[in-house]
Amino acid sequence: AAQFERIIARDLVVWQCDLSAAMMAIGAINRASFTGCRMTGVDFNKTNLHDVTFTSCKLDMANFRFADLRRVVFIDCTLTETDFLGATLHDVSFQACTLEKTIFEQVSCKAVNLSGSQLTELIGWRFLKGVTIDDLQLAVAAPYLAYELGLIVK
């Protein structure tokens, strides 16, 4: 796997690369685009990602723990078991993405948009205060919200 720990990159264009299990922890990536990349298990732990676009990327089991994401857009990406624990998400949107078992525990959100994406078994709904979802997603989210809030539905 590629080792880019403590990476500092600006004006980066990455196209159809296999970055599976790449280490990009504790770095800073600004003004970047990743298109058609396989990024299963990529590690962005504690990385600052500002003005970054991911388009048609496979980000399964990616680690964004404690990362700082600002003005980040995910378009048509797959994020299965992706971990955002403790991350800061500011002006982040997920457009036509598949999020399954994605972890949002202890995230800090501002201007986050999930509407139009497929949301399945997300973990940490209670931390997604202020996030935008659409009416179809609300029906999917309701049982998870009830469970996380300890509501009893009869």
Side-chain angles (χ1 to χ4, degrees), residues 25-37:
I26 317 170
I29 300 174
N30 299 306
R31 298 184 309 268
S33 68
F34 294 87
T35 304
C37 295

Side-chain angles (χ1 to χ4, degrees), residues 54-67:
F54 295 91
T55 306
S56 300
C57 292
K58 186 173 181 70
L59 288 150
D60 295 341
M61 296 179 284
N63 178 4
F64 289 93
R65 285 179 166 227
F66 305 104

Side-chain angles (χ1 to χ4, degrees), residues 9-60:
R10 289 180 186 83
D11 302 316
L12 180 68
V13 176
V14 182
W15 186 70
Q16 295 187 343
C17 285
D18 187 347
L19 294 170
S20 296
M23 292 291 298
M24 297 189 194
I26 317 170
I29 300 174
N30 299 306
R31 298 184 309 268
S33 68
F34 294 87
T35 304
C37 295
R38 181 173 179 210
M39 303 176 83
T40 300
V42 68
D43 188 355
F44 287 114
N45 180 47
K46 297 182 182 173
T47 296
N48 295 327
L49 297 158
H50 298 177
D51 302 300
V52 176
T53 302
F54 295 91
T55 306
S56 300
C57 292
K58 186 173 181 70
L59 288 150
D60 295 341

Side-chain angles (χ1 to χ4, degrees), residues 101-153:
K101 297 181 182 175
T102 305
I103 300 166
F104 288 105
E105 293 284 339
Q106 301 174 24
V107 295
S108 172
C109 295
K110 183 176 180 184
V112 175
N113 190 343
L114 292 169
S115 60
S117 287
Q118 180 181 336
L119 310 178
T120 307
E121 298 182 47
L122 298 189
I123 300 163
W125 275 104
R126 67 190 176 281
F127 295 100
L128 295 176
K129 183 178 179 178
V131 169
T132 301
I133 61 173
D134 59 44
D135 56 346
L136 296 174
Q137 292 168 318
L138 179 59
V140 171
Y144 299 103
L145 285 166
Y147 174 78
E148 287 193 23
L149 295 173
L151 301 176
I152 298 169
V153 180

